[in-house]
Amino acid sequence: MSEQLQSDFDKIVKTWKISKEEILIKKNFLNKFIESGFPNRKQEDWKFLDISQIIKKNISALSFFNDYSQSNKIDSSTFVDGLEHNKIIFINGRIEKIDFNYEDQNKIEISDETKKDISFDYENSLIDLNSAFTHKVFKILIKKDYSLKKPLIIYHSTNEKIKSTNINLRLDFELGENSCLKLIDYFSNNTTKNFINIFYNFNLETDSILKNYKIDKFRNNNLKYSFNNIEQGNNSVSETFILSAGSDYFKNEINCNLNGEYSSAFINGLFSLKEDQQHEIRSTINHLVENTKSYQLIKSVLGKHSKSAYQGRIFVNSKAQKTDGYQLSKAILLDETSEFNAKPELEIYADDVKCSHGSASGSLNEDSIFYLMSRGLNYQQSKELLINGFLLDVVEKITDSEIKNLIKNIIGLKE
Amino acid sequence: MDTREKDIEKLKDYKYGFTTDIENIKAPKGLNEDVIKFISNIKKEPQWMLDFRLKAYERLKLLKEPNWQKPKYPKINYQDLYYYSAPKSMKDKPKSLDELDPKLLETYKKLGIPLQEQARLNGIAVDAVFDSVSVATTFKGELTKHGIIFCSMSEAIQKHPNLVKKYLGTVIPVTDHFFATLNSAVFTDGSFVYIPEGVKCPMELSTYFRINASETGQFERTLIIADKGSYVSYLEGCTAPMRDENQLHAANVELIAFDDAEIKYSTVQNWYPGDENGKGGIYNFVTKRGLCKGKNSKISWTQVETGSAITWKYPSCILKGDNSIGEFYSIAITNNHQKADTGTKMIHLGKNTKSKIISKGISAGFSDMTYRGLVDINSKAKNSSNYTQCDSLLMGNKCGAHTVPYIKNKNFDSNIAHEATTSKISEEQLHYCQQRGLNPEEAVGLIVNGFCKEVLQQLPMEFAVEAQKLVGISLEGSVG
């Protein structure tokens, strides 16, 4: 694989117009990645789902080079209906369009001249891979006291031009004081067997609010990895919702540093899997100062041969008194072949805290089914009703009512 | 303060911290084939036992020390340890208690295990292990009447080779992890228990372990076999003298329960924890594993872990037989600079298997405590269930409490429920107790005992009283 990486990298140097300095930085990341390779199950964070095996099994020869010189046609039929929104459109990892038509243009700043280095500690070779091969890093700055009028939807799509390719993309967001951003990641991939590696960096200043909704609903054969790094200042709020249902493999990783007092983080996740799908959410919440709060709720419904994993970690620094941390993961296994793994972890160094976690997994309750059937539903209907109720619980946690309705429509949950 | 006073002062903290001057026979320092042969030879072991050890040693050479655990420790130089140390007077084994070295008896009296009296009064059969060898086993007559074998491992290798050969290493194979394999290569003694079919062991069986000599590692090996329909309750207690260097204790304990059999294994571990600055103390790296081999069998682990500089162990149950039950009750207390990484593994293989985990962790001072546990329900383990509860209590903000559960559910008929909380003793509770006339330390003791009650209840009576006291002592000086 390292030869492939090297030769693809040389192609980039030749075809992309990038400065010498940048090449050096990229080269550095490339070498780091070549040294460690794809993460495997020997690493604690990849214990449950081994991505190096999964890539090997699904994609025989992965190529890392993309030609970004030609633009792709935008298919407007995939756009979300019934919700006015701003757009960023990625096709095959290339930004085709950035459209903030609904907003005050003076309040938003977009630049692609950001620093490529990474400011936080990580032990993750996929970030090295991303940094070595990502084309352009856009930075979106929301200025002080500005709340976006409409949500921003980022469309992630691929077309038939690429196959067995690794796509890397990165966006940096900076939310100024007292600003607000609602961000929807919308995945619609028609192609198969690509490995998409997404890396977002969020910096939340005092009193800012970030709401990020990741919607991977439509069945596709791609492998995806997404990493969100969220730095939070005083009194800021981050809300992340993940609907993990479409891809063959999808791992969402969220690293949230609560650096400011009274900041809070919410993560809600939903797995709805069938047929050989393997999905994972891994969250790390670092409570670093006093009076911070985090809440996580993850639910899985697992069909035939599917597998979901949840690794949640709450870390409480010795300074972070009065922390409130909560994690709950629940799973329904529908078939003999489905599998649920969890590792809810607490690491606590302060004594005046309230931290707890819970995890439960099992099959649908036969008593409940019996109850519904005695009221005239058939077996299938009762099952569906129970599952929908189970999932709705997570969707109801979404604080934005417009987006909540949109997601309900997408999942097919009715009021 | 002269040295004597200092010594007394020290002993107050850890009353088992004395040493006994007994002449020892030691194997040459270091770990190699010759030392293993030396151990095997001095114990007059048959060839198959030596082969077992050498096979483990071969394997050990390929293995690396694991390092994923939370408490890190300075590298152990395995060549700088004595792997065998025995009181000289034991070279020719005494026939009865009267022939024992009086100094040894004195030591056990200090530990609160007067062998003779205990034998007579309590009706608890005791096997005492001093450094590496088992020194005395009481109450033999009564046990033999029921056909129960309770003796030291060395004796069992001589007298019951068929049983030992058949079962030793079946639960913890020689190819297991580093410390277990190290034990397989160099283990010196331990207890052997066999309960025949249908026998309910009429008394509690008990072993006391003590590390006396310096620079020794203690590697004992315990094997308990409960045949069909039998029942046994086994207790284990441990102490060690105070020394400035760290000592290694890497034991293996194997339990096998056949159809309808039940084994209850209780431990009160009070190895020397090191002084308040974290100097010295025992590294307690123990492998304990039980196999519920037969239908309707049950294995229950209860542990009270208050000692050791580092405790690193996961008593586990492999629930192979249908309808088998595994239980784990644990209290782990760390104070000063102690560190603990402990928990359990419940591996469900058979149908309708059930497991229950109750873990209470208390950390004070500068200590660090981790609960790490695995619940794995296999795809064939239909209709199984697990319930886990682990609570941590923190005292002060210099200590840490961590929970790392691994949950794997591969069976849709099975249920797993896990709960964990972390909290501190609330001011209200303390205030309430103090208002009723308790001083702050007593109040904390009372609240902690209440916190641990679910586990303490599982211990046999005599042990429960001791454990309760131990809980109080371990936390002394942690309030305020």
Side-chain angles (χ1 to χ4, degrees), chain B residues 446-465:
Chain B
L446 185 72
I447 294 164
V448 168
N449 266 315
F451 177 75
C452 302
K453 205 173 164 194
E454 272 172 280
V455 178
L456 289 172
Q457 277 171 345
Q458 299 296 325
L459 285 169
M461 241 270 280
E462 301 82 352
F463 256 38
V465 178

Side-chain angles (χ1 to χ4, degrees), chain A residues 361-373:
Chain A
S361 61
S363 57
L364 275 177
N365 188 341
E366 288 296 327
D367 292 344
S368 310
I369 294 180
F370 177 80
Y371 176 86
L372 290 174
M373 285 174 77

Side-chain angles (χ1 to χ4, degrees), chain A residues 212-275:
Chain A
N212 184 202
Y213 306 93
K214 293 176 181 294
I215 301 171
D216 173 45
K217 167 66 186 159
F218 306 104
R219 195 73 182 87
N220 66 77
N221 294 107
N222 291 302
L223 316 178
K224 295 192 186 104
Y225 174 76
S226 154
F227 186 97
N228 276 15
N229 182 54
I230 308 173
E231 304 285 341
Q232 289 190 237
N234 284 352
N235 213 8
S236 61
V237 179
S238 77
E239 177 188 330
T240 310
F241 171 86
I242 298 163
L243 169 64
S244 196
S247 311
D248 265 4
Y249 171 90
F250 199 178
K251 175 164 177 164
N252 268 290
E253 212 164 318
I254 288 148
N255 182 54
C256 190
N257 292 331
L258 299 170
N259 303 314
E261 282 191 31
Y262 298 100
S263 56
S264 49
F266 300 86
I267 297 173
N268 300 304
L270 208 64
F271 294 106
S272 171
L273 307 179
K274 45 187 174 282
E275 299 148 18

